[in-house]
Amino acid sequence: HTEVGYANGTTPNPTYEEVYTDLTGYAETVYIQYDESRVSLATIIELYFLSIDPTSLNRQGGDCGTRYRTGIYYKSIDDLATIKAIYNKVAAQHTEPLAVEIEPLHNFYAAEEYHQDYLEKNPQGYCHIPRALIAKVKELVKGAK
């Protein structure tokens, strides 16, 4: 299950308009709930790194601002070793330092309904993630069922 929203900011119940100002401290995020027996955290983190430019600070594709910073926000300290192992593997593939935060999840608020499943609702909508990668993930999820 996925849900788009806002993480690790300073105000309660932020709206998109508030987050867009870059004054709330939130990052636009995707909350992922998964079954470890069907897909590993390592696979999810590897796919995440395929979907971003890990060296880009506060920017992904045509989107810029602190709300577009990249980060992995974990709920369990037990996940940190897996996250750091993949981070280090990716870092070794780049000459520039990675601009990916790794922090505990302090808070998460779901984005407005019109943001959920955005590309299904807006097939011509903009997203920096390559459509081929989105299709690959959908196939993985479909095959896991």
Side-chain angles (χ1 to χ4, degrees), residues 3-10 14 19-20 22 24-31 48 58 65-73 101 103 105 107-109 111:
E3 187 170 30
V4 297
Y6 317 115
N8 287 9
T10 59
V19 172
Y20 193 82
D22 280 340
T24 63
Y26 282 97
E28 291 190 11
T29 57
V30 177
Y31 182 88
Y48 171 72
N58 298 332
T66 59
R67 66 194 172 279
Y68 296 113
R69 68 187 182 274
T70 55
I72 300 169
Y73 309 111
E101 297 178 335
E103 296 181 0
L105 178 65
N107 54 23
F108 174 84
Y109 294 94

PDB file of all heavy atoms in Angstrom, residues 3-10 14 19-20 22 24-31 48 58 65-73 101 103 105 107-109 111:
ATOM      1  N   GLU A   3       0.857   5.677   0.001  1.00  0.00           N
ATOM      2  CA  GLU A   3       0.085   6.897   0.211  1.00  0.00           C
ATOM      3  C   GLU A   3       1.059   8.058   0.103  1.00  0.00           C
ATOM      4  O   GLU A   3       2.111   8.052   0.733  1.00  0.00           O
ATOM      5  CB  GLU A   3      -0.553   6.855   1.600  1.00  0.00           C
ATOM      6  CG  GLU A   3      -1.499   7.969   1.889  1.00  0.00           C
ATOM      7  CD  GLU A   3      -2.264   7.730   3.181  1.00  0.00           C
ATOM      8  OE1 GLU A   3      -1.735   7.072   4.103  1.00  0.00           O
ATOM      9  OE2 GLU A   3      -3.394   8.225   3.270  1.00  0.00           O
ATOM     10  N   VAL A   4       0.722   9.044  -0.709  1.00  0.00           N
ATOM     11  CA  VAL A   4       1.593  10.213  -0.816  1.00  0.00           C
ATOM     12  C   VAL A   4       1.238  11.203   0.281  1.00  0.00           C
ATOM     13  O   VAL A   4       0.090  11.256   0.735  1.00  0.00           O
ATOM     14  CB  VAL A   4       1.536  10.877  -2.217  1.00  0.00           C
ATOM     15  CG1 VAL A   4       2.028   9.925  -3.282  1.00  0.00           C
ATOM     16  CG2 VAL A   4       0.150  11.375  -2.537  1.00  0.00           C
ATOM     17  N   GLY A   5       2.249  11.936   0.707  1.00  0.00           N
ATOM     18  CA  GLY A   5       2.001  12.897   1.773  1.00  0.00           C
ATOM     19  C   GLY A   5       3.225  13.715   2.082  1.00  0.00           C
ATOM     20  O   GLY A   5       4.112  13.891   1.239  1.00  0.00           O
ATOM     21  N   TYR A   6       3.259  14.181   3.316  1.00  0.00           N
ATOM     22  CA  TYR A   6       4.278  15.119   3.756  1.00  0.00           C
ATOM     23  C   TYR A   6       4.911  14.589   5.040  1.00  0.00           C
ATOM     24  O   TYR A   6       4.207  14.189   5.969  1.00  0.00           O
ATOM     25  CB  TYR A   6       3.654  16.495   4.000  1.00  0.00           C
ATOM     26  CG  TYR A   6       2.661  16.893   2.920  1.00  0.00           C
ATOM     27  CD1 TYR A   6       1.312  17.061   3.214  1.00  0.00           C
ATOM     28  CD2 TYR A   6       3.069  17.051   1.596  1.00  0.00           C
ATOM     29  CE1 TYR A   6       0.404  17.415   2.216  1.00  0.00           C
ATOM     30  CE2 TYR A   6       2.168  17.397   0.593  1.00  0.00           C
ATOM     31  CZ  TYR A   6       0.835  17.570   0.921  1.00  0.00           C
ATOM     32  OH  TYR A   6      -0.064  17.908  -0.065  1.00  0.00           O
ATOM     33  N   ALA A   7       6.247  14.594   5.105  1.00  0.00           N
ATOM     34  CA  ALA A   7       6.945  14.028   6.258  1.00  0.00           C
ATOM     35  C   ALA A   7       7.942  15.003   6.872  1.00  0.00           C
ATOM     36  O   ALA A   7       8.527  15.831   6.181  1.00  0.00           O
ATOM     37  CB  ALA A   7       7.683  12.753   5.851  1.00  0.00           C
ATOM     38  N   ASN A   8       8.108  14.834   8.163  1.00  0.00           N
ATOM     39  CA  ASN A   8       9.162  15.466   8.954  1.00  0.00           C
ATOM     40  C   ASN A   8       9.152  16.989   8.916  1.00  0.00           C
ATOM     41  O   ASN A   8      10.204  17.619   8.858  1.00  0.00           O
ATOM     42  CB  ASN A   8      10.540  14.905   8.579  1.00  0.00           C
ATOM     43  CG  ASN A   8      10.725  13.498   9.117  1.00  0.00           C
ATOM     44  OD1 ASN A   8       9.789  12.892   9.614  1.00  0.00           O
ATOM     45  ND2 ASN A   8      11.924  12.982   9.024  1.00  0.00           N
ATOM     46  N   GLY A   9       7.968  17.542   9.002  1.00  0.00           N
ATOM     47  CA  GLY A   9       7.846  18.994   9.060  1.00  0.00           C
ATOM     48  C   GLY A   9       7.525  19.480  10.455  1.00  0.00           C
ATOM     49  O   GLY A   9       7.567  18.724  11.424  1.00  0.00           O
ATOM     50  N   THR A  10       7.191  20.762  10.546  1.00  0.00           N
ATOM     51  CA  THR A  10       7.047  21.406  11.855  1.00  0.00           C
ATOM     52  C   THR A  10       5.632  21.830  12.214  1.00  0.00           C
ATOM     53  O   THR A  10       5.402  22.272  13.340  1.00  0.00           O
ATOM     54  CB  THR A  10       7.944  22.658  11.915  1.00  0.00           C
ATOM     55  OG1 THR A  10       7.550  23.558  10.864  1.00  0.00           O
ATOM     56  CG2 THR A  10       9.409  22.297  11.777  1.00  0.00           C
ATOM     57  N   PRO A  14      -0.509  19.786   7.573  1.00  0.00           N
ATOM     58  CA  PRO A  14      -0.200  20.746   6.513  1.00  0.00           C
ATOM     59  C   PRO A  14      -1.026  20.495   5.249  1.00  0.00           C
ATOM     60  O   PRO A  14      -1.408  19.363   4.963  1.00  0.00           O
ATOM     61  CB  PRO A  14       1.282  20.491   6.233  1.00  0.00           C
ATOM     62  CG  PRO A  14       1.435  19.031   6.521  1.00  0.00           C
ATOM     63  CD  PRO A  14       0.551  18.781   7.712  1.00  0.00           C
ATOM     64  N   VAL A  19       2.865  23.441   2.339  1.00  0.00           N
ATOM     65  CA  VAL A  19       4.116  22.730   2.076  1.00  0.00           C
ATOM     66  C   VAL A  19       4.850  23.379   0.911  1.00  0.00           C
ATOM     67  O   VAL A  19       6.076  23.514   0.926  1.00  0.00           O
ATOM     68  CB  VAL A  19       3.852  21.233   1.823  1.00  0.00           C
ATOM     69  CG1 VAL A  19       5.104  20.515   1.348  1.00  0.00           C
ATOM     70  CG2 VAL A  19       3.302  20.567   3.080  1.00  0.00           C
ATOM     71  N   TYR A  20       4.101  23.818  -0.093  1.00  0.00           N
ATOM     72  CA  TYR A  20       4.682  24.421  -1.297  1.00  0.00           C
ATOM     73  C   TYR A  20       5.494  25.681  -0.994  1.00  0.00           C
ATOM     74  O   TYR A  20       6.409  26.018  -1.734  1.00  0.00           O
ATOM     75  CB  TYR A  20       3.573  24.727  -2.304  1.00  0.00           C
ATOM     76  CG  TYR A  20       4.080  25.049  -3.677  1.00  0.00           C
ATOM     77  CD1 TYR A  20       4.425  24.035  -4.567  1.00  0.00           C
ATOM     78  CD2 TYR A  20       4.246  26.366  -4.087  1.00  0.00           C
ATOM     79  CE1 TYR A  20       4.906  24.327  -5.828  1.00  0.00           C
ATOM     80  CE2 TYR A  20       4.731  26.665  -5.355  1.00  0.00           C
ATOM     81  CZ  TYR A  20       5.055  25.642  -6.214  1.00  0.00           C
ATOM     82  OH  TYR A  20       5.543  25.926  -7.463  1.00  0.00           O
ATOM     83  N   ASP A  22       7.667  26.014   1.236  1.00  0.00           N
ATOM     84  CA  ASP A  22       8.961  25.604   1.804  1.00  0.00           C
ATOM     85  C   ASP A  22       9.199  26.193   3.191  1.00  0.00           C
ATOM     86  O   ASP A  22      10.333  26.203   3.670  1.00  0.00           O
ATOM     87  CB  ASP A  22      10.133  25.962   0.880  1.00  0.00           C
ATOM     88  CG  ASP A  22      10.323  24.976  -0.257  1.00  0.00           C
ATOM     89  OD1 ASP A  22       9.824  23.831  -0.150  1.00  0.00           O
ATOM     90  OD2 ASP A  22      10.977  25.329  -1.252  1.00  0.00           O
ATOM     91  N   THR A  24       7.384  25.074   5.957  1.00  0.00           N
ATOM     92  CA  THR A  24       6.902  24.126   6.964  1.00  0.00           C
ATOM     93  C   THR A  24       7.917  23.038   7.302  1.00  0.00           C
ATOM     94  O   THR A  24       7.722  22.289   8.250  1.00  0.00           O
ATOM     95  CB  THR A  24       5.611  23.439   6.482  1.00  0.00           C
ATOM     96  OG1 THR A  24       5.903  22.688   5.306  1.00  0.00           O
ATOM     97  CG2 THR A  24       4.494  24.447   6.215  1.00  0.00           C
ATOM     98  N   GLY A  25       8.971  22.912   6.490  1.00  0.00           N
ATOM     99  CA  GLY A  25       9.977  21.889   6.738  1.00  0.00           C
ATOM    100  C   GLY A  25       9.624  20.509   6.212  1.00  0.00           C
ATOM    101  O   GLY A  25      10.397  19.567   6.391  1.00  0.00           O
ATOM    102  N   TYR A  26       8.477  20.367   5.570  1.00  0.00           N
ATOM    103  CA  TYR A  26       8.064  19.050   5.082  1.00  0.00           C
ATOM    104  C   TYR A  26       8.747  18.672   3.780  1.00  0.00           C
ATOM    105  O   TYR A  26       9.082  19.526   2.965  1.00  0.00           O
ATOM    106  CB  TYR A  26       6.540  19.011   4.862  1.00  0.00           C
ATOM    107  CG  TYR A  26       5.790  18.855   6.154  1.00  0.00           C
ATOM    108  CD1 TYR A  26       5.268  19.963   6.797  1.00  0.00           C
ATOM    109  CD2 TYR A  26       5.637  17.609   6.744  1.00  0.00           C
ATOM    110  CE1 TYR A  26       4.599  19.843   7.997  1.00  0.00           C
ATOM    111  CE2 TYR A  26       4.974  17.478   7.946  1.00  0.00           C
ATOM    112  CZ  TYR A  26       4.457  18.593   8.569  1.00  0.00           C
ATOM    113  OH  TYR A  26       3.807  18.458   9.766  1.00  0.00           O
ATOM    114  N   ALA A  27       8.921  17.374   3.611  1.00  0.00           N
ATOM    115  CA  ALA A  27       9.335  16.795   2.336  1.00  0.00           C
ATOM    116  C   ALA A  27       8.118  16.079   1.762  1.00  0.00           C
ATOM    117  O   ALA A  27       7.372  15.427   2.505  1.00  0.00           O
ATOM    118  CB  ALA A  27      10.471  15.793   2.543  1.00  0.00           C
ATOM    119  N   GLU A  28       7.905  16.216   0.458  1.00  0.00           N
ATOM    120  CA  GLU A  28       6.863  15.425  -0.195  1.00  0.00           C
ATOM    121  C   GLU A  28       7.358  13.987  -0.221  1.00  0.00           C
ATOM    122  O   GLU A  28       8.494  13.719  -0.626  1.00  0.00           O
ATOM    123  CB  GLU A  28       6.585  15.946  -1.605  1.00  0.00           C
ATOM    124  CG  GLU A  28       5.914  17.302  -1.591  1.00  0.00           C
ATOM    125  CD  GLU A  28       5.408  17.726  -2.960  1.00  0.00           C
ATOM    126  OE1 GLU A  28       5.378  16.914  -3.892  1.00  0.00           O
ATOM    127  OE2 GLU A  28       5.028  18.903  -3.074  1.00  0.00           O
ATOM    128  N   THR A  29       6.523  13.074   0.238  1.00  0.00           N
ATOM    129  CA  THR A  29       6.967  11.695   0.429  1.00  0.00           C
ATOM    130  C   THR A  29       5.924  10.686  -0.027  1.00  0.00           C
ATOM    131  O   THR A  29       4.778  11.034  -0.297  1.00  0.00           O
ATOM    132  CB  THR A  29       7.260  11.416   1.918  1.00  0.00           C
ATOM    133  OG1 THR A  29       6.083  11.690   2.666  1.00  0.00           O
ATOM    134  CG2 THR A  29       8.387  12.249   2.440  1.00  0.00           C
ATOM    135  N   VAL A  30       6.373   9.450  -0.069  1.00  0.00           N
ATOM    136  CA  VAL A  30       5.476   8.317  -0.291  1.00  0.00           C
ATOM    137  C   VAL A  30       5.648   7.385   0.897  1.00  0.00           C
ATOM    138  O   VAL A  30       6.760   6.941   1.193  1.00  0.00           O
ATOM    139  CB  VAL A  30       5.802   7.556  -1.598  1.00  0.00           C
ATOM    140  CG1 VAL A  30       4.898   6.337  -1.747  1.00  0.00           C
ATOM    141  CG2 VAL A  30       5.674   8.475  -2.797  1.00  0.00           C
ATOM    142  N   TYR A  31       4.563   7.136   1.588  1.00  0.00           N
ATOM    143  CA  TYR A  31       4.559   6.196   2.703  1.00  0.00           C
ATOM    144  C   TYR A  31       4.279   4.816   2.111  1.00  0.00           C
ATOM    145  O   TYR A  31       3.315   4.645   1.362  1.00  0.00           O
ATOM    146  CB  TYR A  31       3.465   6.585   3.704  1.00  0.00           C
ATOM    147  CG  TYR A  31       3.421   5.707   4.914  1.00  0.00           C
ATOM    148  CD1 TYR A  31       4.203   6.009   6.026  1.00  0.00           C
ATOM    149  CD2 TYR A  31       2.616   4.579   4.965  1.00  0.00           C
ATOM    150  CE1 TYR A  31       4.171   5.207   7.148  1.00  0.00           C
ATOM    151  CE2 TYR A  31       2.588   3.775   6.086  1.00  0.00           C
ATOM    152  CZ  TYR A  31       3.361   4.086   7.170  1.00  0.00           C
ATOM    153  OH  TYR A  31       3.335   3.285   8.276  1.00  0.00           O
ATOM    154  N   TYR A  48      13.894   2.768  -5.048  1.00  0.00           N
ATOM    155  CA  TYR A  48      13.881   4.196  -4.714  1.00  0.00           C
ATOM    156  C   TYR A  48      15.066   4.910  -5.363  1.00  0.00           C
ATOM    157  O   TYR A  48      14.900   5.958  -5.990  1.00  0.00           O
ATOM    158  CB  TYR A  48      13.907   4.376  -3.191  1.00  0.00           C
ATOM    159  CG  TYR A  48      14.120   5.800  -2.761  1.00  0.00           C
ATOM    160  CD1 TYR A  48      13.107   6.746  -2.909  1.00  0.00           C
ATOM    161  CD2 TYR A  48      15.326   6.218  -2.217  1.00  0.00           C
ATOM    162  CE1 TYR A  48      13.294   8.068  -2.525  1.00  0.00           C
ATOM    163  CE2 TYR A  48      15.521   7.536  -1.830  1.00  0.00           C
ATOM    164  CZ  TYR A  48      14.506   8.448  -1.981  1.00  0.00           C
ATOM    165  OH  TYR A  48      14.688   9.752  -1.606  1.00  0.00           O
ATOM    166  N   ASN A  58      17.651  19.212  -3.132  1.00  0.00           N
ATOM    167  CA  ASN A  58      16.383  19.957  -3.182  1.00  0.00           C
ATOM    168  C   ASN A  58      15.811  20.088  -4.590  1.00  0.00           C
ATOM    169  O   ASN A  58      15.207  21.096  -4.946  1.00  0.00           O
ATOM    170  CB  ASN A  58      16.547  21.349  -2.564  1.00  0.00           C
ATOM    171  CG  ASN A  58      16.932  21.278  -1.109  1.00  0.00           C
ATOM    172  OD1 ASN A  58      16.600  20.328  -0.412  1.00  0.00           O
ATOM    173  ND2 ASN A  58      17.645  22.276  -0.639  1.00  0.00           N
ATOM    174  N   GLY A  65      12.985  22.925  -4.651  1.00  0.00           N
ATOM    175  CA  GLY A  65      12.591  23.461  -3.355  1.00  0.00           C
ATOM    176  C   GLY A  65      12.902  22.431  -2.283  1.00  0.00           C
ATOM    177  O   GLY A  65      13.074  21.252  -2.579  1.00  0.00           O
ATOM    178  N   THR A  66      12.956  22.864  -1.047  1.00  0.00           N
ATOM    179  CA  THR A  66      13.300  21.928   0.028  1.00  0.00           C
ATOM    180  C   THR A  66      12.264  20.818   0.182  1.00  0.00           C
ATOM    181  O   THR A  66      12.593  19.740   0.655  1.00  0.00           O
ATOM    182  CB  THR A  66      13.477  22.654   1.377  1.00  0.00           C
ATOM    183  OG1 THR A  66      12.259  23.334   1.710  1.00  0.00           O
ATOM    184  CG2 THR A  66      14.636  23.635   1.323  1.00  0.00           C
ATOM    185  N   ARG A  67      11.048  21.049  -0.245  1.00  0.00           N
ATOM    186  CA  ARG A  67      10.017  20.001  -0.179  1.00  0.00           C
ATOM    187  C   ARG A  67      10.335  18.849  -1.131  1.00  0.00           C
ATOM    188  O   ARG A  67       9.777  17.773  -1.002  1.00  0.00           O
ATOM    189  CB  ARG A  67       8.647  20.594  -0.467  1.00  0.00           C
ATOM    190  CG  ARG A  67       8.492  21.107  -1.898  1.00  0.00           C
ATOM    191  CD  ARG A  67       7.267  21.983  -2.061  1.00  0.00           C
ATOM    192  NE  ARG A  67       7.235  22.622  -3.362  1.00  0.00           N
ATOM    193  CZ  ARG A  67       7.899  23.709  -3.695  1.00  0.00           C
ATOM    194  NH1 ARG A  67       8.686  24.303  -2.824  1.00  0.00           N
ATOM    195  NH2 ARG A  67       7.800  24.227  -4.901  1.00  0.00           N
ATOM    196  N   TYR A  68      11.232  19.079  -2.097  1.00  0.00           N
ATOM    197  CA  TYR A  68      11.632  18.041  -3.056  1.00  0.00           C
ATOM    198  C   TYR A  68      12.982  17.429  -2.706  1.00  0.00           C
ATOM    199  O   TYR A  68      13.598  16.774  -3.539  1.00  0.00           O
ATOM    200  CB  TYR A  68      11.658  18.595  -4.475  1.00  0.00           C
ATOM    201  CG  TYR A  68      10.293  19.017  -4.952  1.00  0.00           C
ATOM    202  CD1 TYR A  68       9.999  20.350  -5.186  1.00  0.00           C
ATOM    203  CD2 TYR A  68       9.285  18.076  -5.130  1.00  0.00           C
ATOM    204  CE1 TYR A  68       8.734  20.738  -5.607  1.00  0.00           C
ATOM    205  CE2 TYR A  68       8.021  18.452  -5.536  1.00  0.00           C
ATOM    206  CZ  TYR A  68       7.762  19.788  -5.775  1.00  0.00           C
ATOM    207  OH  TYR A  68       6.515  20.173  -6.170  1.00  0.00           O
ATOM    208  N   ARG A  69      13.434  17.636  -1.476  1.00  0.00           N
ATOM    209  CA  ARG A  69      14.666  16.969  -1.051  1.00  0.00           C
ATOM    210  C   ARG A  69      14.411  15.458  -1.022  1.00  0.00           C
ATOM    211  O   ARG A  69      13.265  15.017  -0.911  1.00  0.00           O
ATOM    212  CB  ARG A  69      15.131  17.479   0.301  1.00  0.00           C
ATOM    213  CG  ARG A  69      14.226  17.093   1.467  1.00  0.00           C
ATOM    214  CD  ARG A  69      14.706  17.810   2.718  1.00  0.00           C
ATOM    215  NE  ARG A  69      13.939  17.466   3.896  1.00  0.00           N
ATOM    216  CZ  ARG A  69      12.808  18.061   4.258  1.00  0.00           C
ATOM    217  NH1 ARG A  69      12.273  19.024   3.507  1.00  0.00           N
ATOM    218  NH2 ARG A  69      12.191  17.697   5.374  1.00  0.00           N
ATOM    219  N   THR A  70      15.474  14.706  -1.156  1.00  0.00           N
ATOM    220  CA  THR A  70      15.321  13.256  -1.146  1.00  0.00           C
ATOM    221  C   THR A  70      15.673  12.726   0.230  1.00  0.00           C
ATOM    222  O   THR A  70      16.595  13.213   0.891  1.00  0.00           O
ATOM    223  CB  THR A  70      16.202  12.599  -2.220  1.00  0.00           C
ATOM    224  OG1 THR A  70      17.553  13.019  -2.035  1.00  0.00           O
ATOM    225  CG2 THR A  70      15.728  12.962  -3.616  1.00  0.00           C
ATOM    226  N   GLY A  71      14.914  11.740   0.655  1.00  0.00           N
ATOM    227  CA  GLY A  71      15.165  11.181   1.967  1.00  0.00           C
ATOM    228  C   GLY A  71      14.514   9.828   2.149  1.00  0.00           C
ATOM    229  O   GLY A  71      13.546   9.487   1.472  1.00  0.00           O
ATOM    230  N   ILE A  72      15.080   9.084   3.059  1.00  0.00           N
ATOM    231  CA  ILE A  72      14.522   7.810   3.481  1.00  0.00           C
ATOM    232  C   ILE A  72      14.243   7.978   4.967  1.00  0.00           C
ATOM    233  O   ILE A  72      15.162   8.200   5.761  1.00  0.00           O
ATOM    234  CB  ILE A  72      15.504   6.650   3.230  1.00  0.00           C
ATOM    235  CG1 ILE A  72      15.834   6.561   1.737  1.00  0.00           C
ATOM    236  CG2 ILE A  72      14.915   5.336   3.759  1.00  0.00           C
ATOM    237  CD1 ILE A  72      16.988   5.633   1.428  1.00  0.00           C
ATOM    238  N   TYR A  73      12.975   7.907   5.326  1.00  0.00           N
ATOM    239  CA  TYR A  73      12.541   8.143   6.695  1.00  0.00           C
ATOM    240  C   TYR A  73      12.003   6.822   7.245  1.00  0.00           C
ATOM    241  O   TYR A  73      10.986   6.326   6.785  1.00  0.00           O
ATOM    242  CB  TYR A  73      11.492   9.256   6.723  1.00  0.00           C
ATOM    243  CG  TYR A  73      11.961  10.486   5.980  1.00  0.00           C
ATOM    244  CD1 TYR A  73      11.380  10.872   4.779  1.00  0.00           C
ATOM    245  CD2 TYR A  73      13.023  11.235   6.459  1.00  0.00           C
ATOM    246  CE1 TYR A  73      11.832  11.984   4.087  1.00  0.00           C
ATOM    247  CE2 TYR A  73      13.489  12.352   5.772  1.00  0.00           C
ATOM    248  CZ  TYR A  73      12.892  12.719   4.589  1.00  0.00           C
ATOM    249  OH  TYR A  73      13.354  13.810   3.907  1.00  0.00           O
ATOM    250  N   GLU A 101      18.746  12.308   2.619  1.00  0.00           N
ATOM    251  CA  GLU A 101      18.638  12.243   4.067  1.00  0.00           C
ATOM    252  C   GLU A 101      18.277  10.820   4.494  1.00  0.00           C
ATOM    253  O   GLU A 101      17.487  10.165   3.825  1.00  0.00           O
ATOM    254  CB  GLU A 101      17.508  13.144   4.573  1.00  0.00           C
ATOM    255  CG  GLU A 101      17.667  14.591   4.317  1.00  0.00           C
ATOM    256  CD  GLU A 101      16.470  15.411   4.803  1.00  0.00           C
ATOM    257  OE1 GLU A 101      15.337  14.881   4.908  1.00  0.00           O
ATOM    258  OE2 GLU A 101      16.693  16.590   5.060  1.00  0.00           O
ATOM    259  N   GLU A 103      16.800   9.544   8.008  1.00  0.00           N
ATOM    260  CA  GLU A 103      16.369  10.008   9.325  1.00  0.00           C
ATOM    261  C   GLU A 103      15.175   9.201   9.796  1.00  0.00           C
ATOM    262  O   GLU A 103      14.426   8.653   8.981  1.00  0.00           O
ATOM    263  CB  GLU A 103      15.943  11.477   9.265  1.00  0.00           C
ATOM    264  CG  GLU A 103      17.031  12.443   8.907  1.00  0.00           C
ATOM    265  CD  GLU A 103      16.539  13.882   8.900  1.00  0.00           C
ATOM    266  OE1 GLU A 103      15.343  14.127   9.183  1.00  0.00           O
ATOM    267  OE2 GLU A 103      17.359  14.766   8.625  1.00  0.00           O
ATOM    268  N   LEU A 105      11.397   8.700  10.899  1.00  0.00           N
ATOM    269  CA  LEU A 105      10.151   9.368  10.523  1.00  0.00           C
ATOM    270  C   LEU A 105       9.585  10.007  11.791  1.00  0.00           C
ATOM    271  O   LEU A 105       9.236   9.312  12.739  1.00  0.00           O
ATOM    272  CB  LEU A 105       9.153   8.374   9.935  1.00  0.00           C
ATOM    273  CG  LEU A 105       7.794   8.951   9.546  1.00  0.00           C
ATOM    274  CD1 LEU A 105       7.942   9.941   8.402  1.00  0.00           C
ATOM    275  CD2 LEU A 105       6.828   7.838   9.179  1.00  0.00           C
ATOM    276  N   ASN A 107       7.038  12.510  11.656  1.00  0.00           N
ATOM    277  CA  ASN A 107       5.600  12.662  11.437  1.00  0.00           C
ATOM    278  C   ASN A 107       5.293  12.489   9.952  1.00  0.00           C
ATOM    279  O   ASN A 107       6.169  12.652   9.104  1.00  0.00           O
ATOM    280  CB  ASN A 107       5.081  14.013  11.950  1.00  0.00           C
ATOM    281  CG  ASN A 107       5.834  15.202  11.383  1.00  0.00           C
ATOM    282  OD1 ASN A 107       6.457  15.144  10.327  1.00  0.00           O
ATOM    283  ND2 ASN A 107       5.787  16.318  12.091  1.00  0.00           N
ATOM    284  N   PHE A 108       4.075  12.126   9.676  1.00  0.00           N
ATOM    285  CA  PHE A 108       3.610  11.956   8.299  1.00  0.00           C
ATOM    286  C   PHE A 108       2.144  12.349   8.259  1.00  0.00           C
ATOM    287  O   PHE A 108       1.353  11.929   9.111  1.00  0.00           O
ATOM    288  CB  PHE A 108       3.755  10.505   7.836  1.00  0.00           C
ATOM    289  CG  PHE A 108       3.157  10.258   6.471  1.00  0.00           C
ATOM    290  CD1 PHE A 108       3.880  10.527   5.319  1.00  0.00           C
ATOM    291  CD2 PHE A 108       1.854   9.804   6.341  1.00  0.00           C
ATOM    292  CE1 PHE A 108       3.323  10.342   4.058  1.00  0.00           C
ATOM    293  CE2 PHE A 108       1.286   9.606   5.090  1.00  0.00           C
ATOM    294  CZ  PHE A 108       2.027   9.876   3.958  1.00  0.00           C
ATOM    295  N   TYR A 109       1.801  13.139   7.263  1.00  0.00           N
ATOM    296  CA  TYR A 109       0.410  13.513   7.020  1.00  0.00           C
ATOM    297  C   TYR A 109       0.084  13.193   5.575  1.00  0.00           C
ATOM    298  O   TYR A 109       0.850  13.562   4.669  1.00  0.00           O
ATOM    299  CB  TYR A 109       0.183  15.012   7.274  1.00  0.00           C
ATOM    300  CG  TYR A 109       0.360  15.398   8.723  1.00  0.00           C
ATOM    301  CD1 TYR A 109       1.582  15.864   9.193  1.00  0.00           C
ATOM    302  CD2 TYR A 109      -0.696  15.273   9.621  1.00  0.00           C
ATOM    303  CE1 TYR A 109       1.750  16.207  10.523  1.00  0.00           C
ATOM    304  CE2 TYR A 109      -0.535  15.617  10.960  1.00  0.00           C
ATOM    305  CZ  TYR A 109       0.692  16.079  11.401  1.00  0.00           C
ATOM    306  OH  TYR A 109       0.853  16.420  12.719  1.00  0.00           O
ATOM    307  N   ALA A 111      -1.346  13.443   1.954  1.00  0.00           N
ATOM    308  CA  ALA A 111      -1.674  14.566   1.072  1.00  0.00           C
ATOM    309  C   ALA A 111      -3.162  14.509   0.731  1.00  0.00           C
ATOM    310  O   ALA A 111      -3.842  13.497   0.938  1.00  0.00           O
ATOM    311  CB  ALA A 111      -0.830  14.499  -0.199  1.00  0.00           C
TER     312      ALA A 111
END
